[in-house]
Structures are given as structure tokens and as C-alpha cells.
Amino acid sequence: MLTDRGPLRPAPSARSSAELLDAARALRPRIEALGPEIEAGRELPAALVDLLHANALFRMLLPRSLGGHEVEPIAFVQVLEEIARADASTAWCICQASGCSMVSAYMDPASAHEAFGDPRAVLAWGQPVGARADATGDGGYRVNGQWVFASGSHHATWLGGITAPIFEADGAPRLLPSGAQEARTILFPAAQATLQDVWQVSGLRGTGSDTITVADLFVPEGHTARVEPATRREAGTLYRFTWGNLFSSGFSSVALGIARGLLDALVELASEKTPRGLRATLRENAVIQRQVAIGTAQLDAARALLHATLRDAWTVAEANGPGPLPMELRVRIRLAATFGIHQAMDVAQTAFHAAGSSAIFAANPFERRFRDLHAVSQQIQARQSHFETVGAYLLGLDPDPTFL
């Protein structure tokens, strides 16, 4: 196939869900060993990025037409949870890049291939701060502004903004038939933007979530997308899910994986540590036994709820045809995802305290996981207000659809 940008290269073969999960499990020890380097460098080291590319873990939600795996959401979250048990920043970056790649389902095919056709393609984007795109009248836009929290920006090949308001050449806002101002997702090669080093944080340090800045940058029309059901070109069941559905489920699974790693570390410590002033090991302590049992139940229950909800949603999406997921399922996904993060936080708090002074040393596998999970809990996906949204729906009111 030929386009005005040259021949499209054959897409690499997609991997099965089982192959991706096996790869994640095999990589866990190597990723965990890189933890101090990830933390110190405040980005994923090049060797780790190479490993992730070699196993195509950034391409889980990319369409098969572009060489992606286009996996079911249940497989996506299982891989993320496995990686997060080893390192939170790595799992976070995989989740973010995978979710960002879903914009390709709304782009024209040639432009999507230009951005994602390279097997090492990674898109990182952020939230807008004073960003705008002015139509030039010659097939593109002049873009100015900033986007913050661009996770994975240091190893990204393309950068962008999840939204930018569109203005006409005369400066007037471009309006949609509804009367709202049009907004588009904007993509551009990473070399065309400036990254501001602002990611000096307590947790998720390795995500490199710096700020993207562009000034008077020309972006072709094809490198933008208006993301709504009417503009979707990919027919696969996966793309009936919204970004919110996949980001919330993915980051919830990152939280569950971190908490599982903390609980695993407590179980290992309990077999060898005898607290000062006591004669028995931690594992012989009835309080610790109870905490481990309840923590395991909490994580298993939250995980089971999320997985069951995603399986139900997939079944309905397959049966319902090309339309978006029904509101009931979008609400259920939001509930399961938010619940999972808060259960993970509760387990982490218990495990950290149970480990005693051992938990505060950087050489032990507690304090970084604890900080990382608290950083997760400060993000949009963990907001307590999501429970209010769900509760409103359950009580027969119209919920705020912003994060559904």
C-alpha cells in the first residue's frame, strides 16, 4: 500500500495475551533489580526500555492494523499488575503509553502509521496548560502551550497533548454543532518539543513525567484527532472502551501490583525477623498472621471485582456492536477501579507498619513501594469523588460523565 508519505511497512505479528503475561513474569526479576537505577535516574533506563520494546509491552492497546496486540482489557491489567509487583514506575509508563496509543484508532491510517508504525514508537502526552491550536488554512495548525504530567516523556518518540482548543485563522473559537468549542488531541515528534525538568517528586520518580512545551509549532491536520464515537475508524471491540475505562483499570492494577509486592515483602520478612524485645519471629505473631490473611483477601477481592467487571464489559461490547459501552458498565468499571486503588492503599499501610523499622530503609523493598503507591493515590484515578459519581448513578441520578 502506498500513501503520500511513502510505503507502509508490514506490521509485526501481534502477541497473544498469554505470551505477554509470560513475558511480564519473566521480566519481573530484572525489572526489580533495576529499581534503584530507575529511582535515581528519574526515568526508565535505556536497557529497560530496550527490554520492554523487545517484548512489545508498549503496544498492548495499539490496533493490530498498526502492529499492535489489541488485547482484551483483562489481559492488559494482568500484565500491568505483574510488572507493578517489580516496579511501579515501569508499570505506570507502560499503562500510560498503551492508553495514549488508542488515539490511533481515531486518526487517518497513513498518519497513524507514521506515528506508530515503528515497532519502538511510544507516545507520551499530558494535560493542557494554556495550550491552543490555531488553524492555518493550509492543512494544519499552529500550536502553542504546555502539557503537564507527561509520563514516559524521556523514552517517547512522539509527544502531544490530550486536548487543545481549536481556533480559526481569525482567532475565533471553532465551534461544534453542539455549540461547544472543538478540541483535538495533538501529536508531534518528540524532537520538536522542549521538556521542562519538573519531576522532582516523592513517588513514581522513574516515570519522568515532565512538562511538554511547544511554541509556534506547525502540526499537520493528520497529526490531530477528534476523539468521539463518530470519528473512530477501528472496528475492534477494544475501541468501544473509552480512555477513561482503560486508564482507570490500568492504574488500579498498578496499585494492586504495588500492594501485592509490599505484602510479599512482609511475608518474606516475617520468616526471618524477630522484633526487638520479643522471642518469636513475626510470622509466629497472631496479629501479623491476621493482617496477612486480611490483606490477601482485600487484594484478591478487589482484583476479582475489577477482572469480573472487565469480562462482563467485554462480553456486552462484543454483543452490542459498534456503539460505546452502556453507562451502567462504565460506572461499574469506575467503581471497581477506584475501589481497587483504595484497597491497595489500605493493605500497603498495614504491611508497611507491620514491617516495623525495617520498612524505612532504602535497601529494603518497602519504602519505595510505599511512596510509589501514595503517589498513585494522589492521581485522578483515585479521587474519592468517583464514589460520589457512582453513588449518584446507583441512586437514579445522572452521573458526571467526565471520568467515565
Side-chain angles (χ1 to χ4, degrees):
M1 178 180 179
L2 294 177
T3 73
D4 58 358
R5 294 181 177 86
L8 297 182
R9 291 169 290 176
S13 299
R15 297 193 183 187
S16 70
S17 299
E19 289 173 325
L20 291 167
L21 187 55
D22 286 345
R25 287 171 176 155
L27 287 175
R28 260 181 58 197
R30 300 173 73 176
I31 294 173
E32 190 161 8
L34 287 169
E37 186 178 349
I38 295 169
E39 175 97 344
R42 294 187 297 118
E43 63 180 285
L44 303 190
L48 175 54
V49 174
D50 287 344
L51 278 175
L52 300 178
H53 279 307
N55 290 276
L57 290 178
F58 289 117
R59 302 174 77 82
M60 286 189 284
L61 303 183
L62 190 69
R64 291 191 185 94
S65 63
L66 294 170
H69 309 309
E70 201 173 321
V71 299
E72 294 185 25
I74 185 68
F76 174 59
V77 301
Q78 286 174 325
V79 169
L80 291 175
E81 184 178 354
E82 196 68 32
I83 296 292
R85 291 175 70 175
D87 178 70
S89 291
T90 304
W92 187 275
C93 286
I94 294 171
C95 182
Q96 184 72 11
S98 298
C100 291
S101 73
M102 291 180 70
V103 73
S104 61
Y106 301 85
M107 298 170 65
D108 74 87
S111 296
H113 188 275
E114 185 178 355
F116 295 100
D118 186 336
R120 292 180 63 91
V122 172
L123 170 62
W125 67 33
Q127 299 292 328
V129 178
R132 61 182 286 160
D134 293 270
T136 62
D138 58 355
Y141 304 89
R142 287 288 169 185
V143 180
N144 291 274
Q146 294 184 334
W147 290 271
V148 298
F149 296 101
S151 299
S153 55
H154 292 268
H155 57 261
T157 56
W158 286 73
L159 297 172
I162 190 169
T163 55
I166 303 298
F167 294 84
E168 302 293 3
D170 64 1
R174 178 182 292 176
L175 301 181
L176 298 171
S178 65
Q181 184 172 7
E182 180 178 345
R184 286 179 169 264
T185 297
I186 307 290
L187 279 65
F188 37 83
Q192 295 180 353
T194 300
L195 287 178
Q196 295 185 27
D197 183 1
V198 298
W199 197 242
Q200 309 286 342
V201 290
S202 61
L204 295 176
R205 290 178 179 172
T207 62
S209 302
D210 283 320
T211 296
I212 301 166
T213 301
V214 298
D216 199 31
L217 176 66
F218 178 76
V219 176
E221 179 80 24
H223 293 174
T224 74
R226 187 153 54 92
V227 179
E228 57 185 36
T231 62
R232 179 164 56 87
R233 65 174 183 83
E234 288 286 343
T237 303
L238 175 63
Y239 305 104
R240 297 168 200 169
F241 289 74
T242 67
W243 279 335
N245 300 153
L246 274 300
F247 277 132
S248 62
S249 301
F251 290 133
S252 181
S253 295
V254 171
L256 291 170
I258 301 169
R260 185 75 67 176
L262 269 166
L263 197 59
D264 290 344
L266 175 61
V267 169
E268 183 175 351
L269 178 71
S271 67
E272 60 190 38
K273 178 176 181 176
T274 300
R276 182 177 299 177
L278 300 179
R279 296 181 179 181
T281 60
L282 279 177
R283 71 176 180 178
E284 296 171 273
N285 184 299
V287 173
I288 300 299
Q289 293 165 0
R290 179 179 183 274
Q291 289 174 331
V292 169
I294 292 176
T296 299
Q298 286 179 275
L299 296 182
D300 286 352
R303 184 177 191 266
L305 176 63
L306 180 61
H307 289 194
T309 303
L310 291 175
R311 288 191 179 98
D312 288 349
W314 185 266
T315 299
V316 171
E318 281 192 310
N320 278 9
L325 283 180
M327 180 59 72
E328 178 187 358
L329 285 168
R330 291 161 61 187
V331 168
R332 285 180 56 194
I333 291 172
R334 170 53 66 192
L335 176 60
T338 309
F339 179 74
I341 295 173
H342 287 274
Q343 289 298 296
M345 282 291 296
D346 190 52
V347 172
Q349 184 73 34
T350 299
F352 187 85
H353 183 72
S357 60
S358 301
I360 67 175
F361 288 89
N364 291 335
F366 291 94
E367 64 91 25
R368 180 161 58 91
R369 285 184 170 94
F370 190 71
R371 288 187 287 105
D372 285 340
L373 189 47
H374 275 76
V376 173
S377 76
Q378 298 299 108
Q379 304 294 327
I380 286 174
Q381 306 302 340
R383 287 177 179 171
Q384 291 278 0
S385 59
H386 295 320
F387 292 121
E388 297 174 16
T389 299
V390 174
Y393 178 83
L394 296 175
L395 290 166
L397 302 174
D398 292 330
D400 180 352
T402 304
F403 296 107
L404 298 176

